């Protein structure tokens, strides 16, 4: 980070916290995908208003670019990583900020 960032002491990503959890819905009432995940935050150790995906901020564009295809596939009931992972409904991916990446575990939860 010190070698490449304009601010060498910029620290960890300011948009997310370790342990943040989000739930996406796409039904007749909500379409969280269309709104880039705003208000999908269900758990955080930080200030929910400052977390991307909280009630005030959509997901960071770099993250959204990296994970939106997996979110969309899961919301449609599709296999996220069929044949590649032990569980086809799960994927681990990260944003493209190579100096301070945020890693996401994405899981499709089937509901009746």
């Amino acid at each position: 980070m010190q070698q490449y960032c304009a601010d060498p002491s910029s620290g960890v990503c300011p948009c997310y916290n370790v342990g943040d959890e989000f739930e996406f819905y796409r039904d007749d009432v909500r379409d969280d995908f269309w709104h880039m995940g705003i208000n999908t935050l269900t758990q955080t150790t930080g200030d929910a208003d400052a977390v991307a995906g909280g009630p005030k901020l959509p997901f960071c564009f770099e993250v959204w670019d990296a994970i939106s295809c997996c979110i969309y596939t899961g919301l449609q009931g599709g296999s996220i990583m069929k044949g590649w992972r032990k569980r086809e409904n799960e994927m681990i991916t990260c944003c493209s900020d190579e100096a301070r990446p945020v890693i996401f575990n994405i899981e499709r939860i089937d509901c009746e």
Side-chain angles (χ1 to χ4, degrees):
M1 183 183 331
Q2 292 179 351
Q3 183 177 350
Y4 298 106
C5 291
D7 178 0
S9 62
S10 60
V12 299
C13 174
C15 298
Y16 301 97
N17 303 288
V18 173
D20 286 348
E21 290 186 14
F22 307 87
E23 287 184 17
F24 282 77
Y25 291 87
R26 191 169 199 206
D27 53 31
D28 293 338
V29 179
R30 286 174 60 176
D31 189 346
D32 298 326
F33 184 83
W34 178 256
H35 295 104
M36 289 182 60
I38 195 165
N39 210 25
T40 58
L41 180 68
T42 59
Q43 180 178 311
T44 186
T45 57
D47 175 7
D49 289 342
V51 176
K56 296 188 176 186
L57 301 169
F59 268 61
C60 159
F61 182 76
E62 292 299 321
V63 166
W64 192 247
D65 189 44
I67 70 172
S68 63
C69 61
C70 298
I71 301 271
Y72 186 79
T73 300
L75 287 170
Q76 300 301 322
S79 295
I80 298 172
M81 292 298 289
K82 187 172 185 168
W84 288 84
R85 302 272 186 220
K86 290 180 182 177
R87 298 175 57 199
E88 71 176 47
N89 66 323
E90 190 174 59
M91 180 177 183
I92 297 171
T93 188
C94 66
C95 75
S96 59
D97 183 343
E98 68 283 342
R100 50 188 188 176
V102 177
I103 300 168
F104 290 85
N105 179 40
I106 300 169
E107 180 180 355
R108 184 192 75 232
I109 301 171
D110 298 322
C111 300
E112 302 256 343

